[in-house]
Amino acid sequence: MLRLTDLKLPLDHTPDDLEAAICARLGMERGALLRHAVAKRGNDARRKSAIHLVYAVDVAVQDEAHVLARHAGDKDVRPSPDTAYRFPVMAPADWNGPRPVVIGAGPCGLMAALILAQMGLKPIIIERGKAVRERTKDTWALWRRSVLTPESNVQFGEGGAGTFSDGKLYSRIKDPRHLGRKVLVEFVKAGAPDDILTEAHPHIGTFRLVTMVMSMRDTIEALGGEYRFETRVDDFEIATDAAGERRICALHLSDGTVLPATHVIVAVGHSARDTFQVLHDRGVHAEAKPFAIGVRIEHPQGWIDRARYGNFAGNSVLGPAAYAASHQARNGRTVYSFCMCPGGRVVAATSEEGRVVTNGMSQYSRAEFNANSGLVVDIDPTRDYPGGPLAGIAFQRKWESLAFTAGGSDYHAPGQKVGDLVAGRASSGEFGTVVPSYQPGVRLTDLGRCLPDYVIDAIREALPVFGRQIPGYDHPDVIMTGVETRTSSPVRFRRGTDLQSVNTRGLYPAGEGAGYAGGILSAAVDGIKVAEALAQELLKA
């Protein structure tokens, strides 16, 4: 098979047009094309008057060697890559060695557990939150009634934080082994739509993620895996062996039991602050890492569609438009859009009492009225929160607590209109053209009450810049809701080339919480990598 890339066609093309374009691009007759399959489809909207779909297509042709030779040096005509996944090791059928433990059932832990189960290692999955159906009820309780369940919410529970998000499944990570393809294939097996295999920017949406996570759990259990929900790891028992190396040997669980464990994947997500503290207290190497904080900004989706697609706005082939924006402010800070959710809503995402945190979410249809995105500013430990590996947690908590107070101390969020923030005044009165989607609700105020001055100054400078790039972006009635603080983990647990902690054997820090991923797909890919490394270490004897 050949992989043909950067093949552009108009939005209203037919299947015959695609075949004709393939043949024209390769300079051959239609009869020489045996078959073809779309590998990836995106769009090029740089010219709003002439938007095109852009394809990567796998094609089978007569005399493939001749076609390749004729297009030697053409970067858009190459042999199709081998994207098949192959397990590096498999446990023997009679293997009865120690069972690996996976802490956390988010995207990273879920894929790690699945790979371990498929390799015959029967993992034990420890999840502090509830199974996804029950967790969904608790999450809605916060949104609808301001009732927070600290162990079952947007951050904690089966499926992880990604369950209540846009479900974006693309990443810029380097992936020479095509592990992302393995993730997508498993998601489709579990009920995700087939188009995630071919869309350039695939997404699933919350409702489909819920059923998909349940299906993957069924698969893991059928392969001998075991889930323990509503069980938190309260301590890590670490011993020093005869060679002087620190090794994990057991986990102390919240139900009072002690679980012997010699091979443990820690995939707890970016909000497991108590777990970070315990790991640090037990001497597991940790270091502070950069992240970003800011707000969620909302616009009517139609504004974004027109800004991106012009007269093609509303085209069913294109769907709701997304955007990306970045600005280097005069104060040295970078302001950028983050986790943009077309046709979605801003959601309450706190996991701690007395704090307000925002995030964005969409369903698969992306059919709600507003678009939302994080509008965040880079934060660095050396200048913003010096004081040790966990200082970023205290930094986050400070602003989340101030946001709780600014919103009225009942899980309403503080909000401000763009026009008021740019003018340097608090917002009050009624909402204008843009009505916020956050529940339990938004109270207009001054976001300077719950964000650092340098963040507010950088956002104030960036808004008119983005308005020139995206018409309507800085409309005075556009609403910003605070605060967005959980963009990524403020901590990294350093690991070696074998993916084990650099100073604790048998402990595999993984995913977003450990500082090695930033989103569903990258976290899931990291889960595959650590599962493979653990299995190879466990079975090498």
Side-chain angles (χ1 to χ4, degrees):
M1 296 282 283
L2 301 179
R3 173 68 59 85
L4 176 59
T5 57
D6 199 31
L7 192 65
K8 297 183 178 181
L9 286 95
L11 295 179
D12 59 353
H13 75 81
T14 67
D16 283 346
D17 294 334
L18 178 58
E19 287 192 13
I22 292 170
C23 294
R25 181 67 182 79
L26 295 177
M28 63 187 191
E29 297 295 325
R30 186 73 69 96
L33 176 63
L34 303 179
R35 62 185 182 277
H36 70 279
V38 174
K40 198 67 67 179
R41 187 188 77 163
N43 69 70
D44 182 350
R46 288 174 294 180
R47 292 179 57 211
K48 290 192 284 289
S49 61
I51 297 176
H52 289 86
L53 295 178
V54 184
Y55 287 89
V57 186
D58 288 325
V59 298
V61 299
Q62 293 178 355
D63 200 351
E64 181 178 303
H66 176 69
V67 173
L68 273 176
R70 227 165 5 100
H71 292 274
D74 187 338
K75 64 180 179 60
D76 292 319
V77 182
R78 297 179 178 179
S80 296
D82 181 2
T83 61
Y85 179 76
R86 297 171 180 83
F87 296 102
V89 291
M90 292 292 291
D94 59 350
W95 187 81
N96 62 354
R99 297 175 72 180
V101 178
V102 179
I103 308 174
C108 179
L110 184 62
M111 278 306 299
L114 179 65
I115 294 297
L116 290 170
Q118 290 175 338
M119 288 189 287
L121 292 173
K122 301 178 181 178
I124 299 171
I125 301 94
I126 308 295
E127 171 53 58
R128 67 189 297 168
K130 297 179 182 179
V132 69
R133 287 290 189 200
E134 290 74 21
R135 173 197 180 197
T136 300
K137 296 174 185 177
D138 292 334
T139 300
W140 279 97
L142 174 60
W143 296 351
R144 291 173 172 172
R145 305 194 308 275
S146 295
V147 177
L148 172 67
T149 303
E151 294 294 315
S152 180
N153 46 62
V154 165
Q155 307 296 347
F156 297 144
E158 185 181 20
T163 304
F164 299 98
S165 72
D166 186 60
K168 286 178 280 290
L169 298 176
Y170 52 91
S171 173
R172 294 185 176 90
I173 60 171
K174 294 180 180 178
D175 188 19
R177 293 179 54 208
H178 306 284
L179 297 180
R181 180 73 178 185
K182 168 66 170 174
V183 174
L184 298 182
V185 167
E186 293 296 343
F187 284 4
V188 169
K189 288 180 183 177
D194 291 344
D195 64 16
I196 69 171
L197 297 174
T198 55
E199 288 299 308
H201 292 89
H203 77 286
I204 299 178
T206 289
F207 287 165
R208 294 194 179 208
L209 276 164
V210 167
T211 56
M212 188 192 80
V213 165
M214 294 170 62
S215 176
M216 294 181 74
R217 184 211 313 160
D218 290 343
T219 298
I220 292 167
E221 290 178 331
L223 292 170
E226 174 189 343
Y227 277 77
R228 299 188 187 182
F229 289 111
E230 299 183 65
T231 304
R232 187 180 59 252
V233 176
D234 284 343
D235 206 352
F236 295 79
E237 191 172 321
I238 297 169
T240 302
D241 65 16
E245 285 191 315
R246 290 162 41 92
R247 290 185 176 272
I248 184 72
C249 57
L251 302 174
H252 293 246
L253 306 180
S254 59
D255 61 6
T257 62
V258 177
L259 177 66
T262 58
H263 294 76
V264 178
I265 293 173
V266 183
V268 294
H270 59 38
S271 294
R273 294 163 169 174
D274 48 2
T275 306
F276 297 163
Q277 184 69 58
V278 172
L279 288 166
H280 179 59
D281 291 345
R282 295 294 165 262
V284 177
H285 181 83
E287 56 198 37
K289 64 173 280 293
F291 59 104
I293 65 171
V295 298
R296 277 273 150 184
I297 188 167
E298 290 189 83
H299 304 83
Q301 181 61 49
W303 294 11
I304 304 302
D305 292 344
R306 288 191 294 275
R308 287 279 286 116
Y309 296 148
N311 291 334
F312 289 99
N315 185 290
S316 60
V317 176
L318 294 172
Y323 65 82
S326 179
H327 173 68
Q328 185 69 36
R330 287 189 297 270
N331 66 3
R333 305 283 176 165
T334 301
V335 187
Y336 60 96
S337 59
F338 169 82
C339 186
M340 195 271 160
C341 298
R345 61 175 51 238
V346 179
V347 299
T350 188
S351 54
E352 296 180 337
E353 294 178 340
R355 298 191 169 95
V356 162
V357 181
T358 62
N359 195 14
M361 185 184 87
S362 297
Q363 300 300 344
Y364 179 70
S365 63
R366 289 176 165 173
E368 297 194 56
F369 188 73
N370 283 354
N372 78 80
S373 173
L375 183 61
V376 297
V377 176
D378 66 305
I379 304 296
D380 184 80
T382 57
R383 60 181 173 180
D384 298 320
Y385 52 96
L390 305 186
I393 295 173
F395 182 87
Q396 290 174 322
R397 281 174 166 159
K398 171 185 176 179
W399 303 109
E400 294 168 10
S401 296
L402 289 171
F404 181 77
T405 301
S409 300
D410 57 1
Y411 297 107
H412 280 61
Q416 190 171 11
K417 298 176 185 177
V418 161
D420 292 329
L421 184 138
V422 171
R425 60 176 177 260
S427 292
S428 61
E430 301 296 323
F431 299 112
T433 309
V434 184
V435 177
S437 58
Y438 175 98
Q439 294 297 327
V442 173
R443 291 195 172 100
L444 290 173
T445 183
D446 177 2
L447 287 172
R449 295 174 58 190
C450 50
L451 285 169
D453 290 344
Y454 53 80
V455 170
I456 295 294
D457 291 343
I459 290 175
R460 180 180 290 118
E461 179 183 324
L463 284 166
V465 175
F466 295 162
R468 290 190 289 273
Q469 300 167 359
I470 305 170
Y473 194 92
D474 60 341
H475 187 286
D477 283 350
V478 166
I479 192 74
M480 295 173 295
T481 305
V483 288
E484 173 97 21
T485 53
R486 311 276 181 99
T487 53
S488 67
S489 178
V491 182
R492 175 174 289 114
F493 290 91
R494 181 70 67 180
R495 63 194 189 191
T497 55
D498 59 1
L499 305 192
Q500 298 181 65
S501 163
V502 292
N503 72 341
T504 308
R505 302 294 297 172
L507 199 66
Y508 294 79
E512 193 159 352
Y516 292 97
I520 293 173
L521 188 64
S522 62
V525 167
D526 200 57
I528 296 176
K529 292 178 180 178
V530 294
E532 292 177 340
L534 185 154
Q536 289 171 307
E537 176 72 16
L538 188 58
L539 295 173
K540 69 181 182 182

